[in-house]
Amino acid sequence: MVSKSLKIVIAGPHGSNGGLEIHTTELVNFLASQGHEVLRIYVNNQDLPAYDADYQVVISNLPGFRGKFVKSFDWFLAGIICRKFSPDLLISTAIGSGYKVLSHFVGSRAFRIFQIVTDDYPANNATMLSLVKAHDAVAPQTQLLKEQFIAKIPSRIPSQVLPCFHQIGIAKYHTCVTDSSLGQLRLAYFGRLVGNKGIPLLLDAWSKLDCLPLVSLDIWGLGKLRAELQEKITNSPSLSASVTLKGLYPSGLEYVKILSSYHGLVLPSQSTEGLPLVLLEAASVGLPILTTRVGGIPDFAKSNPDVLMVDLGLDALCNGLQDFIGFIHNGAYFNRERHMDLFLSQYSRGAIESIWFRMLEDPFLFFTNGIARQL
């Protein structure tokens, strides 16, 4: 535990279907476990389990004009509650006008931190600049995202890297699959089925492989593209024989067991990324990874021999898939133990918590003196 208990407001999304939602949930649970008094404010329209937070405020997310009015009122009410809570620290983990409202309500005693976990905002964007100026510090998820923030948003607000929490709590797993040179090679995607993740492009690239049906692909997750993907798979004999939509995947140990049963992970994101937590989770069980050069992913992939990173677009993904499958079959290119060791040293729960401990000891000093260890 830290040397003193703080009153902390955490404002961000709620849910289990997305990296930002997982980070915010795990952050709240971590802070509560350390004895801090936590007020949780989140936008939500789902019936989801409660947090470990001491207090919670739910922001409505209903459609239509009335929904917008109710949501604005909820943010105003949340601001009043924040003022009465009188926090030492405000941490906003998402972008939106409501987070700016909170920053004005928390009072002068609170140190206000704005976390950035993506790179999809334009340079000199007025909305982003206004949100940044409403906080005392900016916390990009990775070093590359920090450099992009400094280049895009002219501001004198200090910034320092703060990693996101993933859902892997156990130090090391020993549930590796059998020899990939025997039988069918099994690859998987885990994540939301939305446009920026590049799943339709992955299916186009997959249909061009010349090693089917010796390789299979399981696609785990939910999202608005599910029906489109299912139709694409159904209408293609090669895809229907080797690709399966698996639906929602579990969390915790069951998720780790499923993840570790594969020979490799594929994440073909084409835009709007930070450092996806699924990459860290895959590393925790030693999975080789095929992914793309976007967002904060290069910070994880550089100098990591167990990640094959390719450029954006269909041709690069096609060539990457062929190489990735060949490397796994070869058995000499990737090393699961080596990947797990890298996770333990740089991305384990303990490594992430140590940085957050230092920030919580003195947020102002952390951001102004650059004492954060970069992941």
Side-chain angles (χ1 to χ4, degrees), residues 296-339:
I297 292 177
D299 280 323
F300 171 75
K302 65 184 179 184
S303 304
N304 185 344
D306 297 301
V307 176
L308 180 60
M309 184 171 59
V310 300
D311 292 329
L312 304 181
L314 180 59
D315 290 343
L317 190 56
C318 286
N319 294 332
L321 272 174
Q322 291 283 5
D323 291 342
F324 188 60
I325 291 168
F327 291 152
I328 295 176
H329 269 306
N330 178 271
Y333 190 89
F334 298 121
N335 185 310
R336 293 185 74 143
E337 285 292 330
R338 177 179 60 198
H339 211 186

Side-chain angles (χ1 to χ4, degrees), residues 12-27 40 43 46 48 51 93 165 192 277:
H14 183 30
S16 58
N17 187 26
L20 184 55
E21 289 81 0
I22 289 172
H23 161 62
T24 308
T25 300
E26 294 296 326
L27 173 59
R40 177 71 175 97
V43 178
Q46 306 175 61
L48 293 169
Y51 286 89
T93 65
F165 281 88
R192 293 176 296 132
L277 298 184

